[in-house]
Structure formats: structure tokens, C-alpha cells
Amino acid sequence: MVYSLLNIAKARVEKYAKTLYMPTRPDDVNKIISKYIKAKTPHFFIYAKDKKKENVEPLNDSVVNNLEDIIPKKRINFVKIAGKFNYRMLMSGNVERIDKNIIQKYKELDRNKKWISNKLDDNSTNKKIYIYKFIREELSSLQFDESRIVDILVEYLYGRKNSSFKETLWWVYGDILLSNLRENLKETKQCECCGIRIKIINNQSKYCENCFNRRRKEYKRKKEKMYRMKKRGQLEGS
């Protein structure tokens, strides 16, 4: 029942942008809804929205929350799969100064995605594609080269702010980000020991410098140990 009431309220807010008419919510309905909207978000938002444990409701017996005990927790080590992530691989060059105009414009457009969507006709298809195309065109109007815009946004969102919300960046400039990544990963491979990315010097390139030195020390230690054991055996035999 509560979800139905909330959906009705949401639909009325969306229609208000077009009709400028907002009906008054009945007191009895307002009392029911208020009890829930003042509460914290559901517990499963820890996984669905990256919420912190202190910002969600305690675990209860709802079907969704029971999934926490049913689904096994198998952590994936992405470093072993793809190497240690370096956000600068998404850039075409270094950024010494962040242009505030680009950041402010990006934030403004990112916040107003809902408003941009409401400007479209109800029958419009591919709304998402249109929204991000519109954002790209608006950022291009700042008269900066697109590669420069991408570098500044990557440096800001990954390096300076370390934001968890980068969907808009990838939807708008995913083609450039992928192109930069491919270019920067040319003639490189992962260290077979720790997984960080290294330059391919020759066919024998397997390890980063730190891992190579560590493995070399271990190899020498084992050789010396074998030599001492062999020498000791020869002395005992004589």
C-alpha cells in the first residue's frame, strides 16, 4: 500500500513540471507516508546504492534482506584479474590545473538530467542517449578540445574527488575513455607476480622491478642452500 501511495506521489510531481498543478495530499495519506519517508533507507541499499551501514535500517526478515544469507560472499580480486587500477590510463595527457568552468558545467548538467529528460516528449525513444548527447554538446560549447575536457573530468572525479558517481562521465565520453585506455596499454602487460602493469621490453618480460629483485634474491638463497647441503654431504661421505 505504501509503495502504491509513493508511486502516485512521484507521478504527480513529474506531471507538475508540465501542468503546474499539484493536488493537496489528504491528511490520512500524508500521515501514512510521513512515517516511512522519515525512516532510513532499507538495509539492502548497502549493496544497491553503496550506502553505509549506519545510514540504513537494521536487517529484518524481508525477502530482499534474506538474500544476504543465501548468496555466498565471494570477493573478486580485481588486481589479479586486471592489475592495479591507475586512473591516468584513461587520460591522453597530464592535467596540472583543473578548469573550474568545465567542472561547474559538468556538475550542473549531471544534477539536471531529470529536468533534461522531462523536456522530451512522452513518446520519445532512447531518452538516455539523447540526455548524454545533450550533455556532451553543452560541454563542447565551452570551446575546449574534447580530449582536454575528458582529461580534466577524469583527474577531478578519480584523482581529486574520488567520486563514486561516474556514470555520466562514461555515458558521455566512453568512446574517448576507451580509446585512451587502449592507447596507454599498448606494449604493456601485467606482472605475473603482483599484477601491476609493466612495459614489454622483450619476450622475457614477466615481472616488475620489485618482483624481479625479490625472486632473484629467493633464487640465490635457494642455490646457496643447495650448495651448502651438497658440500656438507660430500664432507660426511669422505
Side-chain angles (χ1 to χ4, degrees):
M1 178 182 176
V2 177
Y3 288 110
S4 298
L5 293 172
L6 289 172
N7 285 331
I8 293 171
K10 181 182 176 183
R12 286 177 175 174
V13 171
E14 291 175 350
K15 288 292 181 182
Y16 173 75
K18 298 177 181 178
T19 63
L20 298 180
Y21 171 70
M22 176 67 76
T24 304
R25 184 186 295 163
D27 291 338
D28 57 328
V29 174
N30 193 51
K31 188 175 181 180
I32 295 171
I33 292 178
S34 297
K35 185 171 67 174
Y36 287 91
I37 61 176
K38 290 180 180 179
K40 294 181 179 180
T41 52
H43 186 83
F44 72 86
F45 270 45
I46 292 176
Y47 310 102
K49 301 289 184 180
D50 292 325
K51 294 288 185 181
K52 293 183 178 180
K53 196 169 184 178
E54 58 268 23
N55 296 329
V56 299
E57 288 289 319
L59 194 66
N60 56 30
D61 294 329
S62 71
V63 175
V64 177
N65 286 337
N66 284 331
L67 293 175
E68 186 174 293
D69 297 325
I70 297 172
I71 300 174
K73 297 177 181 179
K74 293 185 178 180
R75 295 182 63 86
I76 300 174
N77 191 333
F78 286 98
V79 174
K80 290 183 178 180
I81 297 172
K84 187 177 180 181
F85 177 68
N86 180 1
Y87 72 87
R88 289 188 172 85
M89 293 289 103
L90 302 173
M91 301 163 63
S92 60
N94 294 325
V95 174
E96 296 181 0
R97 185 178 65 86
I98 297 287
D99 191 285
K100 292 182 179 179
N101 293 326
I102 293 176
I103 301 304
Q104 288 173 358
K105 188 69 172 177
Y106 174 84
K107 285 181 176 180
E108 176 188 337
L109 292 165
D110 190 38
R111 285 194 298 264
N112 291 326
K113 284 186 292 187
K114 187 71 175 177
W115 175 80
I116 298 170
S117 176
N118 288 336
K119 286 177 63 179
L120 301 176
D121 296 333
D122 288 338
N123 296 326
S124 296
T125 56
N126 299 323
K127 275 191 174 185
K128 207 165 192 177
I129 294 175
Y130 172 86
I131 292 168
Y132 292 116
K133 182 183 177 184
F134 176 83
I135 292 174
R136 185 163 180 163
E137 289 172 351
E138 287 294 302
L139 287 169
S140 295
S141 69
L142 296 175
Q143 303 301 315
F144 284 91
D145 184 74
E146 280 197 329
S147 61
R148 175 67 178 168
I149 294 174
V150 171
D151 287 347
I152 288 174
L153 290 176
V154 169
E155 178 62 38
Y156 175 75
L157 293 172
Y158 283 92
R160 308 290 174 90
K161 190 180 179 184
N162 194 21
S163 171
S164 300
F165 306 99
K166 306 179 181 79
E167 180 182 301
T168 299
L169 173 68
W170 280 93
W171 270 95
V172 176
Y173 293 114
D175 57 332
I176 297 178
L177 293 168
L178 183 59
S179 177
N180 289 343
L181 186 61
R182 284 172 172 165
E183 183 64 30
N184 290 326
L185 292 182
K186 280 183 179 178
E187 299 180 359
T188 68
K189 64 181 295 186
Q190 286 179 246
C191 169
E192 294 183 10
C193 187
C194 69
I196 70 168
R197 197 153 290 277
I198 60 174
K199 286 281 185 181
I200 299 175
I201 301 173
N202 51 48
N203 293 335
Q204 295 181 339
S205 298
K206 292 183 178 181
Y207 309 108
C208 66
E209 185 177 355
N210 290 335
C211 292
F212 176 80
N213 291 333
R214 186 172 67 252
R215 290 177 68 89
R216 192 175 182 181
K217 287 180 181 178
E218 290 176 359
Y219 175 77
K220 285 184 176 181
R221 182 176 56 79
K222 288 179 180 178
K223 290 289 286 184
E224 289 173 359
K225 184 178 180 181
M226 289 176 65
Y227 174 77
R228 289 195 298 269
M229 290 175 65
K230 185 177 180 180
K231 192 173 182 181
R232 189 182 302 119
Q234 289 176 346
L235 290 173
E236 290 176 354
S238 60

